[in-house]
Amino acid sequence: MPAPAKFITYIDAHKDAFIARLGEAVAIPSVSGDPSHRPDVIKMSGYIKSLLEPLGVKVELKDVGMEKQPDGSELPLPPVVFGTLGDDPNKKTVLLYAHYDVQPALVSDGWNTDPFKLTPDKEGRLFGRGSTDDKGPLIAWINIVEAHVTQGIELPVNIKFCLEGMEESGSEGLDDLIEKEKDGFFKSCDCVCICDNYWMNDRTPCLTYGVRGMSYYRIIVSGPARDLHSGLFGNTVHEPMTDLILLMSKLVTPSGEIMIPGLDKLVAPLTDSEKKRYETIDFALTDIEEQVGAKIVLSDDKSQVLMGRMRNPSLSLHGIEGAFYGPGAKTVIPAKVQGKFSIRLVPNMTPENVDPLVIKYLYDEFAKLKSKNTLKIENIHAGKAWMADPDHWNYRAAIKATEEVYKKTPDLTREGGSIPVTLTFADVLGLNVLLLPMGRGDDGAHSTNEKLDTFNYIEGTKLLGTYLHEIAVTN
Amino acid sequence: MPAPAKFITYIDAHKDAFIARLGEAVAIPSVSGDPSHRPDVIKMSGYIKSLLEPLGVKVELKDVGMEKQPDGSELPLPPVVFGTLGDDPNKKTVLLYAHYDVQPALVSDGWNTDPFKLTPDKEGRLFGRGSTDDKGPLIAWINIVEAHVTQGIELPVNIKFCLEGMEESGSEGLDDLIEKEKDGFFKSCDCVCICDNYWMNDRTPCLTYGVRGMSYYRIIVSGPARDLHSGLFGNTVHEPMTDLILLMSKLVTPSGEIMIPGLDKLVAPLTDSEKKRYETIDFALTDIEEQVGAKIVLSDDKSQVLMGRMRNPSLSLHGIEGAFYGPGAKTVIPAKVQGKFSIRLVPNMTPENVDPLVIKYLYDEFAKLKSKNTLKIENIHAGKAWMADPDHWNYRAAIKATEEVYKKTPDLTREGGSIPVTLTFADVLGLNVLLLPMGRGDDGAHSTNEKLDTFNYIEGTKLLGTYLHEIAVTN
């Protein structure tokens, strides 16, 4: 069921008002990572409450406790804004997630305009910190509720809002709250929609149904009790760097294939329907070349490149702690070196089934070196992959809504990096989670001159509203 | 011809006076690396002049110009002290090199005593900065001249002193002066004796007839225009770190063998007489284990280990510039990384014959990777090896003198690191150069609590004096 014409008309008619409202939101510098801005983050939660309550949304500001500072002091965490609209047992209940905090921004970082003053240009691009990440989507949901309430359009679903203020700083407090409220606030939810990522390019809408996880390792090789001079001890003792570099060279080939035996068997097989998805995604190798600024794409095959990013694991060598890293020529034999690498995990890999393979392999390879140095391997950071079923009614409704608003079938994509809250909603609540992006790939979410196109803001508002109407009728 | 008994008696009788004189020298904090101490370095040259001139030595303080400071200002370089004693055409002329500057030293670095107050302990160890490096040997030469002049003992050789004040800071100005004076001040010299290194242990005197050279390289691999996020681009693009680590892994085996084809053919063959030298050197694997603080020696074969340090090249991997080097877990794909490694050169390797082999090999190996990244190899620092003929009369005289004073045949050793002035004397003046050490391997030359044993100071003074008498009669 497409959204009523009255809804679409209202959105178009209120374009200027909606931009002004986004401007109000951007003007509150709710930088969660900067303690001096914590009052602004908290102010932002009050601002949201002040918009939602007059529309009939029942709002609760959930206290999630204090944040420990490096100096030992404590700072209050901004509340998670819970909102409830409707409790009709005959309607589906959709959980809408967004965040109201932003990344830091200073004019001196290279902004062309004041980052906390939403500034349009001639092409209708709205520049400002948080415009696309994530105040645009958050305000859009409020605009949608306003359109329904003021125009007397019945909301086709019950809505639960979960709006957090610490997303840019590790979502502190949120996981515990979700766990605690899973049989409370979240009990009636039927599906989740998160509007907090981006199209793959500037042309084609997409829905995102998976993100990779990660296991981050360090390989520690220790030898002498202290750093040595290579003139005095070169070719005399086992050098930790020699061993470490050899071990690191056994992890991944120049074409990106992981060399650790058994890992490939953990990767979920590619089905025909999934394969077809990569073939039809609107994507060109030049998109990647532009993003990285060099012609270094691993393959000429579009599907292969997409699968490398979305559905296959990757292994990257990040660097070495303890070795010489400065400019110039230092003749040191470092005594203890730590090689850092990470593996991006995809279904059905988990830190639990990957760790033993990685660790055994590296110890086996080290044994072959016949070195007298000592080896230790540690997983220092781990997170699972997340993948939703893109054939679920939640996705089919979003596809339909996209086709209605953009006259295009959205690409079904997966992302290479992690979005931890996605996994929490899926695991703790056991719900299908949809990532339904509003902005474009070139919005510069964490960068200088972050922007949201007016086109994406207004059409995206229509899309999110239409999505609510579609889920009501999709099964 | 052993030194006259009168000489030996004088040295023993003046032990306390000689220690007091070394104390005066140590009390002048002639730290060449600290601009605020430059006046002290210059004062030290005057102190030496004030000791030499009353003994009949013709002294010249050679101005070697100014030193540019990082802030653009200029500081006068301390003069090189030239001294001449005797010009008998029937005698050999020996060039004696030492340096009068020292490394920095602060009590707060961990000294147990004031580093600029020579402090004896109960075992007769004389603690103080410069005690062994190199004021002890320098003052010993003056003591020797004093013994001859005051006792009316004829000096068996003509002496030329070349005493510099910038050795701990790159010997700035010295090479140019040697080049300029090769047909002037240095013209009549027949051999060189440098007393500025150490026994290999605390037991057995040695003569040192070679030091390794060095070629220091960087391997630069460039890919994307900027650092990338491994979640977004892992398994999508060619990662510079993957290529670099693979190249660095092809350089040296865990047992220290260099993998670059052709390098081994440049190494001078091992002769039987040289081989015998390693077998007889007083050295135990535990000496190395103690020095490095771990049981990581490459071989159980003593000669093999000594040859690894003294007569074979070594290749050490020092580190990577441009990669992640901090603690913790950063998910970066570095855009441009520079791997640093160096090769210690031995006869007949030179930077000129080694560079092409290294560079060709790395480009060939890189081609095998089929990477779209770009590679550049640079030699950023090079110095030749030096080796003297240990069968020269200069060495035979020193061996005889050592046997007379210490009742032991000295070990003939080569050092792993570089002593650049050695090479300049040998190359520019075309003379046999002898490294005749006074101190022990545990003196801690550049470290805290530097010391010289009274035994080594006094017997070493006898040794250096006896050496002068021996070269007079050795052909």
Side-chain angles (χ1 to χ4, degrees):
Chain A
M1 181 167 66
K6 234 159 92 172
F7 167 74
I8 302 293
T9 306
Y10 186 88
I11 303 300
D12 280 328
H14 288 77
K15 184 172 93 172
D16 292 345
F18 291 164
I19 291 172
R21 180 176 284 160
L22 179 54
E24 286 175 7
V26 167
I28 302 171
S30 52
V31 180
S32 57
D34 180 346
S36 74
H37 277 300
R38 189 58 55 90
D40 294 313
V41 186
I42 292 168
K43 182 178 166 190
M44 187 68 199
S45 67
Y47 173 74
I48 294 165
K49 186 173 187 239
S50 75
L51 293 176
L52 288 173
E53 282 190 331
L55 298 171
V57 178
K58 193 185 133 214
V59 176
E60 288 176 274
L61 300 184
K62 298 298 282 189
D63 180 10
V64 287
M66 305 295 280
E67 183 191 27
K68 201 135 205 162
Q69 297 300 296
D71 67 0
S73 68
E74 290 196 322
L75 213 56
L77 285 164
V80 174
V81 180
F82 276 1
T84 303
L85 185 61
D87 61 352
D88 185 338
N90 296 315
K91 291 179 182 172
K92 286 175 182 150
T93 299
V94 57
L95 175 62
L96 305 177
Y97 167 92
H99 64 90
Y100 61 82
D101 62 322
V102 296
Q103 285 277 320
L106 296 168
V107 173
S108 59
D109 293 339
W111 283 76
N112 298 326
T113 59
D114 178 348
F116 297 107
K117 185 176 184 311
L118 191 72
T119 309
D121 70 359
K122 281 182 193 168
E123 287 100 66
R125 295 182 297 183
L126 306 168
F127 291 91
R129 176 55 89 218
S131 54
T132 194
D133 181 19
D134 190 35
K135 290 178 173 175
L138 193 157
I139 297 297
W141 286 122
I142 296 173
N143 299 340
I144 290 162
V145 174
E146 180 190 277
H148 284 79
V149 171
T150 60
Q151 300 306 299
I153 309 166
E154 187 187 347
L155 270 163
V157 292
N158 303 314
I159 292 176
K160 293 270 187 183
F161 284 109
C162 176
L163 311 172
E164 72 156 321
M166 284 297 281
E167 198 272 345
E168 304 293 4
S169 302
S171 291
E172 204 168 333
L174 184 63
D175 279 6
D176 289 347
L177 183 67
I178 295 170
E179 185 67 52
K180 202 172 125 193
E181 292 284 347
K182 69 177 171 182
D183 296 321
F185 177 77
F186 296 108
K187 192 173 167 41
S188 59
C189 297
D190 296 301
C191 67
V192 185
C193 177
I194 296 177
C195 188
D196 188 22
N197 69 318
Y198 311 92
W199 299 353
M200 286 194 65
N201 48 42
D202 60 359
R203 305 179 297 269
T204 304
C206 67
L207 312 182
T208 304
Y209 67 99
V211 297
R212 296 195 285 195
M214 182 172 71
S215 271
Y216 199 110
Y217 299 93
R218 58 176 171 184
I219 306 173
I220 310 168
V221 183
S222 311
R226 62 201 74 87
D227 286 358
L228 303 176
H229 186 281
S230 67
L232 294 177
F233 294 101
N235 205 0
T236 305
V237 297
H238 288 279
E239 301 186 14
M241 269 294 275
T242 304
D243 298 347
L244 176 65
I245 293 284
L246 274 163
L247 289 181
M248 291 177 82
S249 79
K250 308 271 186 195
L251 292 169
V252 61
T253 70
S255 53
E257 288 152 66
I258 300 176
M259 295 160 78
I260 301 163
L263 278 200
D264 53 343
K265 292 191 188 72
L266 299 177
V267 178
L270 181 66
T271 63
D272 284 345
S273 69
E274 190 196 338
K275 188 156 175 260
K276 223 159 274 165
R277 263 177 235 141
Y278 301 112
E279 288 163 5
T280 57
I281 285 178
D282 175 23
F283 168 80
L285 297 177
T286 47
D287 289 343
I288 296 247
E289 289 174 352
E290 268 166 36
Q291 285 164 29
V292 306
K295 294 182 185 300
I296 54 170
V297 182
L298 282 175
S299 164
D300 292 337
D301 183 295
K302 180 189 115 177
S303 291
Q304 209 55 46
V305 172
L306 285 174
M307 288 193 286
R309 180 181 199 149
M310 295 180 177
R311 69 108 50 220
N312 290 329
S314 64
L315 192 153
S316 294
L317 307 171
H318 304 297
I320 297 172
E321 183 181 344
F324 173 51
Y325 61 83
K330 187 176 175 189
T331 55
V332 66
I333 296 175
K336 180 183 174 184
V337 284
Q338 305 188 22
K340 309 279 182 80
F341 72 96
S342 67
I343 302 175
R344 295 281 163 175
L345 307 179
V346 297
N348 300 315
M349 300 166 88
T350 63
E352 290 69 31
N353 64 25
V354 166
D355 273 9
L357 296 175
V358 170
I359 291 167
K360 180 184 186 312
Y361 173 68
L362 283 170
Y363 275 103
D364 287 352
E365 289 298 316
F366 184 69
K368 292 181 194 168
L369 305 187
K370 301 199 185 311
S371 169
K372 294 179 185 167
N373 293 319
T374 56
L375 176 71
K376 204 170 147 191
I377 317 277
E378 284 176 6
N379 181 325
I380 55 175
H381 183 79
K384 280 199 303 180
W386 161 76
M387 195 172 73
D389 171 11
D391 293 323
H392 188 274
W393 53 258
N394 195 19
Y395 280 80
R396 283 186 282 117
I399 292 170
K400 201 108 189 279
T402 308
E403 288 169 342
E404 281 155 19
V405 172
Y406 284 108
K407 316 297 176 205
K408 271 188 186 179
T409 300
D411 287 332
L412 279 168
T413 65
R414 286 157 69 176
E415 293 218 347
S418 314
I419 307 178
V421 70
T422 313
L423 192 65
T424 310
F425 282 135
D427 277 8
V428 176
L429 305 183
L431 297 176
N432 180 279
V433 179
L434 161 73
L435 300 187
L436 179 54
M438 169 178 278
R440 300 180 184 181
D442 65 352
D443 281 356
H446 286 198
S447 184
T448 52
N449 301 310
E450 176 183 346
K451 58 91 180 165
L452 174 65
D453 291 77
T454 300
F455 178 82
N456 283 55
Y457 182 40
I458 298 304
E459 298 309 303
T461 303
K462 293 178 191 170
L463 168 65
L464 298 179
T466 302
Y467 157 74
L468 298 182
H469 286 271
E470 286 298 341
I471 48 174
V473 295
T474 310
N475 285 300
Chain B
M1 180 166 65
K6 236 162 87 172
F7 167 76
I8 302 293
T9 307
Y10 186 88
I11 303 300
D12 279 329
H14 288 78
K15 185 171 92 170
D16 292 345
F18 291 163
I19 291 173
R21 180 175 285 160
L22 179 55
E24 286 174 7
V26 167
I28 302 170
S30 51
V31 180
S32 57
D34 180 347
S36 74
H37 277 301
R38 188 58 53 89
D40 295 313
V41 187
I42 291 167
K43 183 179 168 189
M44 186 70 198
S45 68
Y47 172 73
I48 294 166
K49 186 173 187 240
S50 75
L51 293 176
L52 287 174
E53 281 190 330
L55 298 172
V57 179
K58 192 186 134 215
V59 176
E60 287 175 275
L61 300 185
K62 300 297 282 190
D63 178 9
V64 287
M66 307 294 282
E67 183 191 28
K68 200 131 208 165
Q69 297 301 296
D71 67 0
S73 67
E74 290 196 322
L75 214 56
L77 286 164
V80 174
V81 179
F82 275 1
T84 302
L85 185 60
D87 60 353
D88 185 338
N90 295 316
K91 291 179 182 171
K92 285 176 182 148
T93 300
V94 58
L95 174 62
L96 304 177
Y97 166 93
H99 65 90
Y100 61 81
D101 63 320
V102 296
Q103 285 277 321
L106 297 168
V107 174
S108 58
D109 293 339
W111 282 75
N112 297 326
T113 58
D114 179 348
F116 297 108
K117 186 177 183 313
L118 191 72
T119 310
D121 70 0
K122 281 182 191 166
E123 287 100 64
R125 295 182 297 183
L126 307 168
F127 290 90
R129 175 56 88 219
S131 54
T132 193
D133 181 18
D134 189 35
K135 290 179 174 176
L138 193 157
I139 297 297
W141 287 121
I142 296 173
N143 299 340
I144 290 163
V145 173
E146 180 191 277
H148 284 79
V149 170
T150 60
Q151 301 305 299
I153 310 167
E154 188 187 347
L155 269 163
V157 291
N158 304 314
I159 292 176
K160 292 272 186 183
F161 284 108
C162 176
L163 311 172
E164 72 156 321
M166 283 297 283
E167 198 271 345
E168 303 293 5
S169 302
S171 291
E172 204 167 334
L174 184 63
D175 279 7
D176 288 348
L177 182 68
I178 295 171
E179 185 66 53
K180 203 173 123 190
E181 292 283 348
K182 69 177 171 183
D183 295 321
F185 177 77
F186 296 108
K187 193 175 166 41
S188 59
C189 296
D190 295 301
C191 69
V192 184
C193 177
I194 296 177
C195 187
D196 188 23
N197 69 317
Y198 311 92
W199 299 353
M200 285 195 65
N201 47 43
D202 59 359
R203 306 178 297 268
T204 303
C206 66
L207 312 183
T208 303
Y209 66 100
V211 296
R212 295 196 286 194
M214 182 171 70
S215 272
Y216 199 110
Y217 299 92
R218 58 176 169 183
I219 307 172
I220 310 168
V221 183
S222 311
R226 63 201 72 87
D227 286 359
L228 303 177
H229 186 280
S230 67
L232 294 177
F233 293 102
N235 205 358
T236 305
V237 298
H238 288 279
E239 301 186 14
M241 270 294 276
T242 305
D243 298 347
L244 176 65
I245 293 284
L246 274 163
L247 290 181
M248 291 177 81
S249 79
K250 308 273 184 190
L251 292 169
V252 61
T253 70
S255 53
E257 289 153 65
I258 299 176
M259 296 160 79
I260 301 164
L263 278 199
D264 52 344
K265 293 191 186 71
L266 299 177
V267 177
L270 181 67
T271 64
D272 283 347
S273 68
E274 189 195 339
K275 188 156 177 260
K276 223 160 272 163
R277 263 176 235 142
Y278 301 113
E279 288 163 4
T280 57
I281 287 178
D282 175 23
F283 168 81
L285 295 178
T286 48
D287 290 342
I288 295 248
E289 289 173 353
E290 269 166 35
Q291 284 164 29
V292 306
K295 294 183 185 298
I296 54 171
V297 182
L298 282 175
S299 165
D300 292 338
D301 183 293
K302 179 189 117 177
S303 292
Q304 209 55 46
V305 173
L306 285 173
M307 288 193 285
R309 180 181 199 150
M310 295 180 177
R311 68 106 51 220
N312 290 329
S314 65
L315 193 154
S316 294
L317 307 171
H318 304 297
I320 297 172
E321 183 181 346
F324 174 51
Y325 61 83
K330 187 176 172 187
T331 55
V332 65
I333 297 175
K336 180 184 174 183
V337 284
Q338 304 187 24
K340 309 280 181 81
F341 72 98
S342 67
I343 301 175
R344 295 281 162 176
L345 307 180
V346 296
N348 302 314
M349 301 166 88
T350 62
E352 290 69 31
N353 65 23
V354 166
D355 272 9
L357 295 176
V358 171
I359 291 168
K360 181 184 184 312
Y361 174 67
L362 284 171
Y363 274 103
D364 287 352
E365 289 298 317
F366 184 69
K368 291 180 194 167
L369 305 187
K370 302 200 185 310
S371 169
K372 294 180 186 166
N373 294 318
T374 55
L375 175 71
K376 205 171 147 189
I377 318 279
E378 285 176 6
N379 182 325
I380 56 176
H381 183 78
K384 281 199 303 181
W386 161 76
M387 194 172 76
D389 171 11
D391 293 323
H392 189 274
W393 52 259
N394 195 20
Y395 278 81
R396 282 186 282 116
I399 291 170
K400 202 109 187 282
T402 307
E403 289 169 344
E404 282 155 17
V405 173
Y406 283 109
K407 317 295 175 207
K408 269 189 186 179
T409 300
D411 286 332
L412 279 168
T413 65
R414 287 158 69 177
E415 293 218 347
S418 313
I419 307 178
V421 69
T422 313
L423 191 64
T424 309
F425 283 136
D427 277 7
V428 176
L429 306 183
L431 298 175
N432 180 282
V433 178
L434 162 72
L435 298 187
L436 179 55
M438 169 177 278
R440 300 180 184 181
D442 65 352
D443 280 356
H446 286 198
S447 186
T448 52
N449 301 310
E450 176 183 346
K451 59 90 180 166
L452 174 65
D453 291 78
T454 300
F455 177 81
N456 283 57
Y457 181 41
I458 298 304
E459 299 307 304
T461 302
K462 294 178 191 169
L463 169 66
L464 298 178
T466 304
Y467 157 75
L468 297 182
H469 286 272
E470 286 298 342
I471 49 174
V473 296
T474 310
N475 286 299

